[in-house]
């Protein structure tokens, strides 16, 4: 895609609140879902999925609460292509700023082995469900095609034609099994873009089984998708979904390259993630992009030497842009340079003999992979070299 002076705006659809996207055994209460939804809304997300109102009293309650309290983002309810699901979703969230997302079966594999129905029966479900939604006053209707990445093109094209003829406003491609690589998903997205009107929003939903959810999402956006369905922290079924924070950071720094961007307030990302992790009792991994405990922490001596001279020597993504802070860790891979830096802060001469002594004590003698934050080592050195009360008085 050629670059432009005014990048194309990509809509962000966050599905974090769907129970299937949460860590197993850590489903949120309705109140927690509202708290997380408000945190996500503060980021500037366009659409927030409330859950599955027809399948859960908690999701029904959460949908109603969000319909009353979300002010900027639209809400979306997850429904099967069943009239009753649509009716319950509308009862919970009304029709104002409310998208009804109808799940349809996108592959013959699923039709035969999961649903036990024919293509024509599946198409009929779509027609009926869209008709019911429109009769109830819904104006924003999305058709979410599950397992679209393994769907035959004639089956998928049939859904596209039926959905747009019936009045759906969005088509959402589900890369449900995480089986594609970026080139394959770009080809699929491009094909579907040709099958639907330009006025119909094309949304994409990718899973991370190969670790490619973010890459596939970017490929789909380049191929013509208008919207990305993501989750905060990348939480989701199995290996998870495309991570909101990673895509937002890429598009913050690479908008000129891609020719599109989002309006996400990236500096608020980490605060929103902390709301989520508290709600679902999820531990943060050490090495996850953007949100990992050590994402902006440096231990290696060579890296620390460069960082002390100028942070951007090893830091392309600035931590403050995503609500984080830079930190340095003292561990077995650190060098004498970090100790010299601390001694300089304490106005203690860093003689070679002293550096050798401190290196053995604070770095070389460490066992395993434990590290200390820089301020911990600094406090220890400050105590060690503190002058006795009255020292130096005349």
């Amino acid at each position: 895609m050629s670059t432009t002076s005014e990048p194309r705006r990509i809509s962000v659809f966050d599905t974090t609140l769907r129970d299937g996207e949460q860590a197993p055994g850590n489903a949120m209460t309705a109140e927690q879902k509202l708290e997380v939804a408000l945190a996500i809304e503060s980021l500037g997300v366009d659409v927030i999925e409330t859950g599955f109102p027809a399948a859960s009293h908690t999701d029904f309650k959460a949908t109603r609460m969000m319909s009353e309290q979300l002010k900027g983002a639209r809400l979306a309810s997850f429904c099967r292509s069943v009239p009753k699901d649509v009716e319950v979703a509308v009862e919970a969230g009304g029709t104002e700023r409310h998208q009804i997302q109808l799940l349809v079966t996108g592959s013959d594999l699923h039709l035969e082995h999961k649903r036990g129905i024919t293509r024509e029966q599946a198409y009929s479900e779509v027609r009926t469900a869209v008709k019911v939604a429109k009769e109830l006053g819904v104006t924003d209707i999305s058709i979410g095609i599950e397992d679209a990445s393994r769907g035959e093109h004639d089956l998928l094209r049939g859904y596209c034609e039926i959905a747009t003829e019936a009045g759906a406003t969005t088509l959402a491609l589900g890369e449900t099994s995480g089986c594609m690589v970026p080139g394959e998903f770009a080809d699929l997205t491009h094909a579907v873009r040709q099958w639907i009107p330009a006025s119909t929003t094309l949304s994409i939903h990718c899973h991370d089984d190969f670790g490619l959810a973010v890459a596939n999402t970017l490929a789909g956006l380049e191929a013509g998708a208008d919207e990305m369905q993501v989750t905060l922290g990348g939480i989701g079924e199995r290996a998870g979904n495309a991570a909101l924070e990673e895509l937002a950071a890429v598009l913050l720094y690479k908008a000129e390259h891609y020719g599109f961007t989002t309006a996400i307030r990236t500096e608020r990302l980490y605060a929103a993630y902390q709301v989520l992790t508290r709600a679902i009792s999820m531990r943060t991994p050490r090495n996850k992009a953007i949100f990992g405990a050590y994402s902006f922490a440096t231990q290696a001596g060579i890296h620390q030497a460069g960082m002390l001279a100028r942070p951007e020597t090893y830091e392309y993504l600035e931590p403050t842009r995503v609500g984080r802070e830079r930190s340095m860790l003292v561990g077995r891979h650190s060098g004498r340079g970090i100790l010299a830096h601390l001694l300089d802060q304490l106005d203690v001469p860093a003689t070679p003999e002293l550096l050798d002594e401190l290196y053995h004590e604070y770095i070389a003698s460490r066992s395993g992979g434990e590290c200390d934050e820089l301020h911990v080592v600094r406090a220890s050195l400050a105590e060690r070299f503190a002058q006795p009360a009255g020292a130096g008085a005349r």
Side-chain angles (χ1 to χ4, degrees), residues 37 41-42 46 70 126 148 159 213 219 233 237 250 308 365 376:
E41 182 181 47
S42 76
D46 301 276
L70 291 180
V126 175
Y159 277 125
E237 283 290 339
V250 169
L308 290 170
S365 63
V376 173

Side-chain angles (χ1 to χ4, degrees), residues 296 298 307 310-319 326-327:
F296 298 98
T298 304
M307 295 277 288
R310 192 177 178 92
E312 50 264 49
T313 54
Y314 285 96
E315 187 181 83
Y316 177 74
L317 176 59
E318 302 160 274
R326 178 185 305 119
S327 67

Side-chain angles (χ1 to χ4, degrees), residues 159-213:
Y159 277 125
C160 292
E161 292 172 353
I162 290 166
T164 52
E165 287 171 7
T169 51
T170 297
L171 247 294
L173 292 180
E175 218 286 79
T176 309
S177 61
C179 64
M180 283 188 158
V181 297
E184 292 174 313
F185 192 64
D187 289 345
L188 174 63
T189 305
H190 177 74
V192 174
R193 180 74 275 176
Q194 309 312 304
W195 299 337
I196 60 177
S199 59
T200 301
T201 298
L202 179 56
S203 188
I204 50 179
H205 179 110
C206 296
H207 281 259
D208 208 33
D209 298 74
F210 280 151
L212 293 173

Side-chain angles (χ1 to χ4, degrees), residues 33-52:
K33 287 194 174 205
L34 175 62
E35 181 185 17
V36 175
L38 292 172
I40 293 171
E41 182 181 47
S42 76
L43 302 175
V45 166
D46 301 276
V47 187
I48 299 174
E49 190 171 294
T50 69
F52 193 172

Side-chain angles (χ1 to χ4, degrees), residues 287-314:
N287 61 336
K288 190 182 188 306
I290 314 297
F291 289 157
Y294 290 172
S295 292
F296 298 98
T298 304
Q299 181 197 164
I302 293 174
H303 287 219
Q304 288 180 338
M307 295 277 288
L308 290 170
R310 192 177 178 92
E312 50 264 49
T313 54
Y314 285 96

Side-chain angles (χ1 to χ4, degrees), residues 95-299:
T95 58
E96 184 178 354
R97 295 188 303 109
H98 186 184
Q99 180 181 104
I100 296 298
Q101 180 163 250
L102 300 169
L103 181 68
V104 303
T105 307
S107 68
D108 286 322
L109 174 68
H110 277 219
L111 283 171
E112 179 181 355
H113 296 287
K114 190 182 79 169
R115 296 293 315 284
I117 61 175
T118 65
R119 289 186 177 190
E120 281 308 316
Q121 287 173 310
Y123 290 156
S124 178
E125 288 182 346
V126 175
R127 294 187 185 95
T128 300
V130 173
K131 181 174 182 290
V132 169
K134 292 178 69 175
E135 288 173 349
L136 291 171
V138 178
T139 58
D140 190 356
I141 303 170
S142 172
I143 304 300
I145 307 178
E146 186 182 30
D147 205 32
S149 49
R150 292 188 293 181
E152 294 73 8
H153 275 207
D154 58 338
L155 171 61
L156 299 178
R157 186 163 189 168
Y159 277 125
C160 292
E161 292 172 353
I162 290 166
T164 52
E165 287 171 7
T169 51
T170 297
L171 247 294
L173 292 180
E175 218 286 79
T176 309
S177 61
C179 64
M180 283 188 158
V181 297
E184 292 174 313
F185 192 64
D187 289 345
L188 174 63
T189 305
H190 177 74
V192 174
R193 180 74 275 176
Q194 309 312 304
W195 299 337
I196 60 177
S199 59
T200 301
T201 298
L202 179 56
S203 188
I204 50 179
H205 179 110
C206 296
H207 281 259
D208 208 33
D209 298 74
F210 280 151
L212 293 173
V214 168
N216 284 342
T217 299
L218 288 168
L221 294 174
E222 284 191 284
D226 308 293
E227 178 179 80
M228 56 184 183
Q229 295 192 3
V230 296
T231 61
L232 189 60
I235 64 173
E237 283 290 339
R238 304 182 312 278
N241 290 76
L244 164 59
E245 68 280 0
E246 295 174 25
L247 285 156
V250 169
L251 297 182
L252 173 67
Y253 279 81
K254 299 294 184 178
E256 185 176 354
H257 170 79
Y258 282 109
F260 49 77
T261 189
T262 72
I264 294 295
R265 302 179 184 96
T266 57
E267 71 281 359
R268 301 183 184 182
L269 281 166
Y270 190 58
Y273 177 67
Q274 290 176 305
V275 174
L276 172 65
T277 56
R278 286 195 300 269
I280 63 175
S281 302
M282 183 173 72
R283 294 180 62 182
T284 299
R286 293 194 309 177
N287 61 336
K288 190 182 188 306
I290 314 297
F291 289 157
Y294 290 172
S295 292
F296 298 98
T298 304
Q299 181 197 164

